[in-house]
Amino acid sequence: MNISLPSRYEDLEEAYRGRLKPNNPLNQLIQKAVKSMSISGGIRFLPIYGKSGSGKSCASREIDRHLPETHVFLLDRDEIEDGDKLLERIHREKRNDNVCLIGVIDQFEEQVSGKENIPSQFIEKLSIYDRSHLKDIPTLFIWLTTNRDFQKELENSTSRNRRLLLESDFEVSGPSRESWPSIIKETFTFHNSEKPLADYNVVEKDLYDICQDALTVGEALESVGVLLSERIPSLQDLSEYQVILVWPVADGTRMQRVLQFSRPREGYLLNWDAWQRELNAQDRDTLPLQEYNRTRLYFDVRIVPLRVADIHKLCQNLDDDPETFSKTYMQWFQNTHLYQILSGNWDNYDYSPVKERESQRSEAAKTWYASVTNQPTKIGRRLSLILNPDSALQKVALNTTSLGLIIKYNCLSS
């Protein structure tokens, strides 16, 4: 599911930018600048302060959509620092004598070191050009900043040529708070194939609460984006998966065979080196060992022994799922190492080695297991019911192997 709710001017679709509401105080100030330059010539400079997300970029970079006798362009770093490149850019943007050029500098001081020198250096260039290269080219330079002190430094730098400064302490506050919900809904609808926000479970009350707490419309847009992100499925995280090879054992010999391929005290993590050493020449030549090893690195792979005596009574009548299990038999199972690992309790578990004890229960379980070794999928299904009677079947993927059962759990509850 792809959802888009841009909170910055740069991320808005080009077709949507024409819908942005004009900033009337700014547009009126531009009218004043154009009239002043048409009478006395030269250039003008306007430092604009605004909180992050208040709409400075939208208001300034959309001026020419509302005032067609102006032309707005964004200045880059080289053009701000190099006077010759600045002049070249202005001459490239000059289209005819009846258009006022507006060069916008968008928070440049936040991207460079030595920003305390920027105001005096830049204004010095403008003072020179005001009397020479640009005296007959009506040009307004707008500098956007989120820093009040930097705005004041820019203004103070015009002290030797006060004509440059169009306005002091000018601030863009953005649209009224009451209009934020409608702006957010319109922005979302346009960027999401005309689908309303309500289709994604964001209703008027959500918008009202967010807009009351936010400082700017940009911040409100970002908060709605956070709320929407909760409705989007998370990226698949392989680190959350466990791949467990469950190896039912009926005697001590098979128990030792399991232990040689795992590290019991580390939660029966697969002992890759030990397993690889046991491969014969044909297996080494034919098996995709590179892929196996990559799987081991991506997933939490374990090989866990399970005494058949601990599941014997829980696995009767494998073709019919029981509604309940005996508490005594469940207690036996909950004491197994497999259960401790799956329940997330291994780190708190007082480890003791698994031992196959000689008893009547063990003998009965061994006899039973010999009759069901050809039904590993059914045993796996029963284990999933034991581990999570309500929804385990939706969370467990079962595959048969020559060694037993592979059960993959994702966030399996106990």
Side-chain angles (χ1 to χ4, degrees):
M1 177 172 61
N2 294 322
I3 299 177
S4 177
L5 184 60
S7 60
R8 299 184 304 178
Y9 177 83
E10 294 82 2
D11 300 327
L12 294 171
E13 290 187 17
E14 182 67 29
Y16 182 73
R17 294 176 182 177
R19 297 190 181 190
L20 295 173
K21 293 179 173 57
N23 186 287
N24 291 325
L26 177 59
N27 286 353
Q28 290 172 8
L29 200 55
I30 301 302
Q31 297 269 22
K32 174 184 174 181
V34 172
K35 293 177 181 179
S36 174
M37 287 186 287
S38 67
I39 295 174
S40 57
I43 61 180
R44 297 293 182 271
F45 178 61
L46 177 64
I48 296 179
Y49 165 79
K51 297 176 182 176
S52 178
S54 62
K56 302 183 300 301
S57 296
C58 293
S60 58
R61 293 166 69 173
E62 291 296 303
I63 291 173
D64 51 4
R65 291 184 185 268
H66 308 294
L67 303 177
E69 293 177 285
T70 63
H71 171 56
V72 176
F73 54 96
L74 189 66
L75 294 171
D76 60 31
R77 175 171 181 166
D78 290 342
E79 293 161 347
I80 297 167
E81 295 179 338
D82 189 319
D84 292 336
K85 291 183 178 179
L86 176 62
L87 290 175
E88 289 175 8
R89 177 67 184 279
I90 291 174
H91 284 289
R92 287 202 309 270
E93 298 292 342
K94 187 176 183 298
R95 299 179 179 179
N96 59 65
D97 294 335
N98 297 321
V99 172
C100 176
L101 301 179
I102 301 177
V104 176
I105 305 164
D106 200 345
Q107 298 176 220
F108 171 71
E109 81 282 358
E110 298 179 3
Q111 305 171 23
V112 295
S113 59
K115 63 182 182 181
E116 65 278 357
N117 298 321
I118 293 176
S120 58
Q121 293 173 353
F122 186 72
I123 300 302
E124 184 65 27
K125 293 189 186 78
L126 295 190
S127 297
I128 295 172
Y129 298 155
D130 179 52
R131 292 176 170 84
S132 55
H133 301 82
L134 301 181
K135 65 178 182 179
D136 296 324
I137 303 177
T139 308
L140 169 65
F141 294 92
I142 295 177
W143 195 309
L144 309 178
T145 180
T146 58
N147 188 318
R148 275 286 192 192
D149 292 336
F150 187 79
Q151 182 192 34
K152 184 58 65 178
E153 289 177 21
L154 289 169
E155 293 172 356
N156 292 339
S157 296
T158 64
S159 59
R160 290 199 301 163
N161 189 354
R162 297 303 294 180
R163 189 183 72 159
L164 286 178
L165 186 62
L166 179 60
E167 185 87 5
S168 297
D169 300 321
F170 188 80
E171 178 179 354
V172 168
S173 57
S176 64
R177 189 179 296 270
E178 292 74 19
S179 66
W180 292 1
S182 62
I183 291 174
I184 294 171
K185 288 191 290 185
E186 182 181 358
T187 304
F188 180 86
T189 299
F190 185 92
H191 290 84
N192 294 277
S193 304
E194 300 302 317
K195 294 180 180 178
L197 262 174
D199 284 1
Y200 297 89
N201 203 25
V202 178
V203 295
E204 289 287 343
K205 185 179 184 306
D206 296 324
L207 290 177
Y208 176 81
D209 293 341
I210 288 173
C211 291
Q212 288 301 307
D213 295 335
L215 297 177
T216 63
V217 64
E219 183 179 322
L221 280 160
E222 291 177 357
S223 297
V224 174
V226 171
L227 187 61
L228 286 167
S229 69
E230 298 173 0
R231 275 69 167 177
I232 299 176
S234 300
L235 296 175
Q236 186 179 33
D237 187 350
L238 299 181
S239 67
E240 293 181 351
Y241 285 77
Q242 279 186 326
V243 177
I244 296 182
L245 176 65
V246 181
W247 195 333
V249 292
D251 55 49
T253 301
R254 290 174 175 79
M255 174 71 66
Q256 291 304 314
R257 189 175 299 170
V258 178
L259 298 182
Q260 71 179 342
F261 295 131
S262 64
R263 297 187 177 92
R265 291 185 179 274
E266 298 177 31
Y268 291 96
L269 287 171
L270 174 65
N271 188 336
W272 172 262
D273 293 336
W275 174 79
Q276 198 171 24
R277 283 196 301 269
E278 294 297 317
L279 297 177
N280 57 40
Q282 182 179 359
D283 288 338
R284 291 178 186 277
D285 292 337
T286 59
L287 291 177
L289 299 182
Q290 192 73 23
E291 286 70 19
Y292 283 177
N293 187 51
R294 187 179 298 116
T295 301
R296 175 184 69 92
L297 296 174
Y298 285 167
F299 296 99
D300 180 3
V301 181
R302 304 177 186 232
I303 175 169
V304 183
L306 181 63
R307 295 194 312 168
V308 295
D310 293 325
I311 61 172
H312 173 204
K313 295 299 183 179
L314 294 170
C315 293
Q316 301 298 304
N317 302 319
L318 293 174
D319 291 324
D320 299 318
D321 295 333
E323 295 183 1
T324 60
F325 296 99
S326 166
K327 291 184 178 180
T328 300
Y329 302 151
M330 285 294 292
Q331 186 63 46
W332 290 347
F333 182 76
Q334 289 173 358
N335 289 331
T336 65
H337 286 184
L338 174 64
Y339 184 85
Q340 299 300 324
I341 291 171
L342 293 176
S343 62
N345 192 48
W346 185 259
D347 291 339
N348 302 319
Y349 177 68
D350 186 12
Y351 174 79
S352 59
V354 176
K355 297 179 180 178
E356 187 58 41
R357 300 176 179 85
E358 295 293 334
S359 66
Q360 186 175 353
R361 184 164 74 96
S362 296
E363 289 299 321
K366 184 186 298 185
T367 302
W368 162 79
Y369 186 61
S371 67
V372 296
T373 53
N374 61 343
Q375 304 178 55
T377 302
K378 292 182 179 179
I379 296 176
R381 176 185 174 88
R382 181 60 55 85
L383 287 176
S384 70
L385 287 173
I386 294 168
L387 290 163
N388 192 347
D390 294 328
S391 60
L393 291 180
Q394 299 176 10
K395 299 181 178 179
V396 180
L398 301 175
N399 298 293
T400 60
T401 71
S402 59
L403 293 177
L405 301 172
I406 291 179
I407 306 180
K408 184 176 70 176
Y409 293 86
N410 183 14
C411 303
L412 184 64
S413 65
S414 58

